Amino acid sequence: MIDFTVLPLFFTAIFFLAISPGPDLVLISTYSSTKGFKAGLMISIGVFCAGILQTLLVAFGLGKLMQSVPIFAYAIKIVGALYLSYLGVKMLLSWYRKSIKSVQPKTTENLTNLSLMNKGFLNNLLNPKALLFFSLFLPQFTTGTGLLSLQMLILGFMLSCFALLVNSLFSITFSQFGKLIGNKFNLGRHIDGLLGFIFIGLATRLATSK
């Protein structure tokens, strides 16, 4: 059912999409450089899970619903911006309290694998542009034969797997970069503040995007 002749173009397109700057890459690079490869990998897995869910939603028509009912996409965008703002303010307050006490923090928060995956999952899922992208991009590589929904499921799965691979490589790269600059600039002491500003920046970007 999949036209294999279009796969080279498909993978070329998603490669450049995967390496382009965006909220997911910002989150992965920040956590990888400050908390290590494992943190970046867990966030990447969360993004992967969000991609699988978005593929399912697009295959069953939610993408078209968001295109035909803009207020629905707008509501998702606002919820996402509020969530990111909440995380940002929470981290800034934590950074402020620790700065007042002049205590070197050992960890920014309880960074379990599940909590990191949840951050990546929600950061991607609550961005309505991601779902709209899936609904506009995947149909371009489908054929007129066979079940359209099944084709989009297969293509979406391949896209998500490829993005996971690229994001994992980014996690390795930025974790090594973090080791080089972390000791010089003592980033661990200010990681809460750094992440707080980044989350608020992501929230502002999401809320003001058109």
Side-chain angles (χ1 to χ4, degrees), residues 70-91:
I71 191 65
F72 184 63
Y74 179 77
I76 295 178
K77 181 174 73 171
I78 295 303
V79 170
L82 289 174
Y83 171 74
L84 293 175
S85 297
Y86 163 75
L87 291 179
V89 171
K90 180 181 177 182
M91 289 177 176

Side-chain angles (χ1 to χ4, degrees), residues 31-45:
Y31 271 91
S32 297
S33 59
T34 55
K35 304 305 295 181
F37 165 69
K38 184 179 178 181
L41 178 62
M42 290 301 106
I43 289 176
S44 299
I45 293 174

Side-chain angles (χ1 to χ4, degrees), residues 155-169:
L155 291 169
F157 181 75
M158 289 192 295
L159 189 158
S160 298
C161 288
F162 190 84
L164 176 61
L165 175 61
V166 173
N167 288 336
S168 298
L169 294 175

Side-chain angles (χ1 to χ4, degrees), residues 11-29:
F11 283 111
T12 300
I14 62 177
F15 170 74
F16 286 104
L17 289 167
I19 65 174
S20 62
D24 293 334
L25 183 55
V26 170
L27 198 64
I28 291 167
S29 61

Side-chain angles (χ1 to χ4, degrees), residues 62-63 65-83 125-129 131-132 203-210:
L62 185 58
L65 175 63
M66 291 181 66
Q67 295 178 55
S68 59
V69 186
I71 191 65
F72 184 63
Y74 179 77
I76 295 178
K77 181 174 73 171
I78 295 303
V79 170
L82 289 174
Y83 171 74
L125 189 65
L126 292 178
N127 183 355
K129 283 189 173 182
L131 184 57
L132 287 173
T204 302
R205 181 180 184 276
L206 178 58
T208 58
S209 63
K210 296 181 181 181

Side-chain angles (χ1 to χ4, degrees), residues 80-110:
L82 289 174
Y83 171 74
L84 293 175
S85 297
Y86 163 75
L87 291 179
V89 171
K90 180 181 177 182
M91 289 177 176
L92 285 175
L93 290 175
S94 174
W95 173 59
Y96 176 76
R97 287 193 296 266
K98 290 173 182 177
S99 297
I100 292 297
K101 294 178 181 179
S102 298
V103 175
Q104 176 73 20
K106 294 182 179 179
T107 59
T108 58
E109 54 183 314
N110 185 24

